[in-house]
């Protein structure tokens, strides 16, 4: 999962009704709020469409004990008890951790959700483990999906979608198994707690996973817009570390697509079953204009 942006604390007021456009106390004026959101969204799209960002991925290749070759990737690749191995043809080299490697190279055992990048000319070859299986994903800057990218559609930012809630830690982290964008694949995450909040007069909750920085959280969810105006499988939201009293802020304007919303070469996790919200969150990123692998 790759949700890195954490919203800044802006307000202590609950979300107001859908027909109420009154400014919320503590939120900057609408122009400043929108300008900050636009900068955030531009940065997020820029990372996605960077030279070796996720839109540059041209394949998702699953490794086995049998050496295999793949389009756009040099050598033959396999995996076993020692980890991932590549056998390069004579005269071919990769750069791994700044050092040139030739012939047979042992990447070793890659940790779950970890990865190593090998550089081959202008291509980056990602060696990773997802759902207990080793994979190779080449990232080519000239991939048409990246070249044709025109930005991610999104709802206009609105302070009414900034919601306060409380974080409730579990007695112990709960191992939580979820599905994946790839059929048959499973991910297991430790859920440290849940986020409880009110929306349109209803109390709702979301099981939370650990975020990208210490103490922060990530929630994966779907809602009544999923499959209609937003990507059907999942939406992601980064949440800043809870305050001393457990207060958290959910800025649904910053709900993002995961990489699987753009390409079938992603192994993104699906939300826990309990994270289907029975309301329409008309905020954040919408279904991408360009979707799926491009040959």
């Amino acid at each position: 999962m790759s949700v890195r942006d954490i919203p800044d604390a802006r307000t202590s007021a609950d979300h107001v009704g859908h027909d109420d456009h009154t400014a919320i106390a503590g939120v900057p004026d609408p122009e400043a709020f929108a300008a900050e959101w636009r900068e955030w969204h531009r940065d997020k799209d820029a990372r996605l469409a960077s030279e070796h960002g996720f839109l540059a991925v041209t394949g998702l290749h699953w490794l086995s004990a049998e050496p295999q070759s793949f389009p756009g990737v040099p050598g033959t690749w396999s995996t076993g008890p020692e980890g991932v191995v590549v056998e390069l043809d004579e005269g071919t080299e990769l750069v791994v951790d700044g050092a040139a490697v030739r012939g047979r190279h042992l990447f070793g055992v890659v940790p779950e959700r970890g990865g190593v990048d090998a550089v081959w000319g202008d291509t980056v070859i990602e060696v990773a483990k997802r759902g207990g299986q080793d994979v190779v994903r080449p990232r080519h800057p000239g991939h048409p999906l990246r070249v044709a990218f025109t930005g991610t559609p999104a709802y206009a930012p609105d302070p009414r979608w900034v919601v306060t809630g409380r974080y409730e830690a579990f007695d112990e982290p709960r191992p939580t198994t979820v599905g994946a964008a790839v059929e048959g694949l499973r991910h297991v995450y430790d859920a440290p707690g849940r986020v409880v909040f009110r929306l349109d007069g209803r109390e709702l909750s979301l099981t939370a996973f650990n975020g990208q920085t210490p103490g922060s959280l990530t929630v994966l969810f779907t809602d009544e817009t999923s499959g209609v105006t937003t990507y059907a499988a999942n939406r992601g939201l980064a949440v800043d570390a809870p305050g001393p009293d457990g207060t958290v802020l959910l800025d649904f304007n910053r709900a993002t697509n995961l990489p699987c919303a753009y390409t079938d070469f992603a192994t993104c996790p699906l939300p826990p079953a309990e994270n289907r919200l029975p309301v329409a969150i008309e905020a954040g990123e919408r279904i991408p204009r360009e979707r799926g692998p491009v040959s």
Side-chain angles (χ1 to χ4, degrees):
M1 181 171 64
S2 170
V3 182
R4 299 178 183 275
D5 301 288
I6 299 173
D8 298 326
R10 295 188 181 90
T11 181
S12 59
D14 284 351
H15 167 74
V16 297
H18 284 188
D19 295 325
D20 188 345
H21 292 267
T22 304
I24 299 174
V27 174
D29 69 83
E31 289 187 8
F33 184 84
E36 184 182 345
W37 179 89
R38 284 193 297 268
E39 181 179 1
W40 165 82
H41 198 232
R42 280 195 300 267
D43 289 346
K44 185 266 178 185
D45 267 356
R47 287 191 297 274
L48 180 70
S50 63
E51 186 179 23
H52 297 114
F54 226 97
L55 296 184
V57 175
T58 58
L60 172 62
H61 308 296
W62 303 90
L63 303 185
S64 68
E66 184 71 23
Q68 304 173 75
S69 58
F70 305 113
V73 181
T76 58
W77 297 76
S78 61
T79 187
E82 292 183 314
V84 177
V85 176
V86 63
E87 293 276 359
L88 297 171
D89 297 334
E90 185 176 354
T92 300
E93 72 174 30
L94 297 174
V95 177
V96 181
D97 292 331
V101 299
R102 302 175 182 84
R104 182 181 188 272
H105 178 70
L106 176 64
F107 286 89
V109 176
V110 179
E112 181 64 34
R113 291 190 286 276
V116 178
D117 288 341
V119 180
W120 180 51
D122 68 350
T123 299
V124 166
I125 301 163
E126 177 192 8
V127 182
K129 180 170 287 183
R130 298 294 184 266
Q133 301 180 55
D134 291 317
V135 301
V136 165
R137 277 192 292 216
R139 300 180 181 228
H140 294 272
H143 184 36
L145 184 64
R146 172 181 178 267
V147 173
F149 184 61
T150 58
T152 303
Y155 285 100
D158 190 331
R160 64 188 181 139
W161 289 107
V162 180
V163 183
T164 55
R166 69 181 185 277
Y167 172 66
E168 297 180 349
F170 299 143
D171 291 338
E172 294 181 357
R174 297 177 182 175
T176 303
T177 301
V178 297
V182 175
E183 187 175 356
L185 192 67
R186 294 290 181 267
H187 295 285
V188 181
Y189 295 91
D190 282 337
R194 66 175 188 156
V195 174
V196 180
F197 58 100
R198 295 189 67 81
L199 198 60
D200 289 345
R202 306 174 68 172
E203 183 168 277
L204 305 169
S205 68
L206 291 166
T207 295
F209 298 140
N210 292 313
Q212 296 291 328
T213 57
S216 68
L217 304 167
T218 294
V219 293
L220 302 177
F221 69 98
T222 57
D223 63 85
E224 293 302 310
T225 70
S226 298
V228 182
T229 57
T230 63
Y231 185 59
N234 48 24
R235 306 181 74 189
L237 181 65
V239 182
D240 209 347
D245 60 353
T247 297
V248 292
L249 195 76
L250 305 173
D251 185 352
F252 285 107
N253 294 286
R254 300 195 180 199
T256 62
N257 291 323
L258 275 64
C260 56
Y262 302 87
T263 174
D264 289 336
F265 301 142
T267 62
C268 303
L270 303 181
E274 64 271 22
N275 281 14
R276 169 79 188 190
L277 296 177
V279 293
I281 306 292
E282 297 175 324
E285 294 188 328
R286 300 169 66 122
I287 298 171
R289 298 184 184 92
E290 303 86 3
R291 169 67 181 96
V294 179
S295 58

